[in-house]
Amino acid sequence: MTAQAFIENYHANKLKITGGSLCFWGHCLGNPQDFHSLTSVQFNAEESLLTFIFSKKEKLNITNPTEIDLYKDHLEIRSADSVYFEWFDEGKPAIARNLFYYDFTIKGGKIIGKNNIHWSVINAQELSLQKPAVLMTDINRTHNN
C-alpha cells in the first residue's frame, strides 16, 4: 500500500500495530527481542515523510516510503530514499548529548549508513537494496516497557 493509504488505515484503527524490533536494509538494532512500543504514526504528504514515534521518545523518519506491506508478524517498507532513527541513551537524561541516531541514505544506487554511536558500527556488507528499507517484526506482541 502507499504511505497515504497506510496512514489513513492506521488512523481509522484498521491496522493493529503495537511496535517491534527494527531493521533497516538489513542492519538490525540491538537484539531481535528488543521491542519498540509504537505510540503514533504521522505522514507529511508534502515532504513524503512517514514518521513513527515510540514510547521512549524514539523517532523513525522514512523519506519517500513505497510498497508498505503489513503481515501478521511484521511490517515491511520495501523501499525509501532515506531512513533516520533516533533515540536517547537508555537511563540517561533526554538531552542532546545523549541523542543517538542511525542515518541511512540511498546515493548512487548504494546505501550509505552512518551513526554517532561510539560502541556500534554499521557493517556495509550487511546492507542491501534487496532487503526492506524498514522491517518491524513482532508488531502485535503484548509487551511491558
Side-chain angles (χ1 to χ4, degrees):
M1 76 182 84
T2 67
Q4 188 64 47
F6 175 81
I7 201 73
E8 288 170 6
N9 282 309
Y10 178 82
H11 288 298
N13 292 319
K14 293 180 181 176
L15 304 177
K16 303 288 186 217
I17 302 173
T18 58
S21 60
L22 296 167
C23 296
F24 311 123
W25 282 295
H27 179 83
C28 296
L29 305 180
N31 299 311
Q33 65 272 17
D34 288 350
F35 192 87
H36 302 273
S37 295
L38 188 63
T39 58
S40 71
V41 179
Q42 306 158 1
F43 181 62
N44 180 323
E46 193 172 290
E47 296 179 15
S48 191
L49 181 66
L50 183 62
T51 301
F52 291 76
I53 307 293
F54 300 92
S55 65
K56 294 181 181 177
K57 298 183 182 179
E58 307 110 310
K59 185 190 300 185
L60 173 61
N61 287 324
I62 306 129
T63 306
N64 292 320
T66 61
E67 302 175 58
I68 302 172
D69 294 312
L70 183 61
Y71 301 92
K72 180 181 178 184
D73 63 346
H74 70 281
L75 168 84
E76 286 185 20
I77 299 176
R78 294 295 316 155
S79 65
D81 290 345
S82 66
V83 174
Y84 183 88
F85 182 71
E86 66 180 25
W87 73 100
F88 288 100
D89 195 3
E90 185 99 19
K92 297 199 175 163
I95 57 175
R97 74 169 179 237
N98 296 325
L99 185 65
F100 291 140
Y101 70 82
Y102 280 108
D103 187 6
F104 297 92
T105 306
I106 304 293
K107 291 195 180 181
K110 292 185 178 182
I111 305 161
I112 307 300
K114 59 185 177 179
N115 69 28
N116 68 340
I117 308 162
H118 61 279
W119 41 261
S120 176
V121 296
I122 297 170
N123 180 354
Q125 301 293 335
E126 69 188 4
L127 300 177
S128 171
L129 291 171
Q130 304 308 309
K131 296 177 183 172
V134 175
L135 174 65
M136 184 185 309
T137 57
D138 203 8
I139 59 175
N140 296 312
R141 180 171 82 171
T142 302
H143 190 275
N144 295 323
N145 275 343

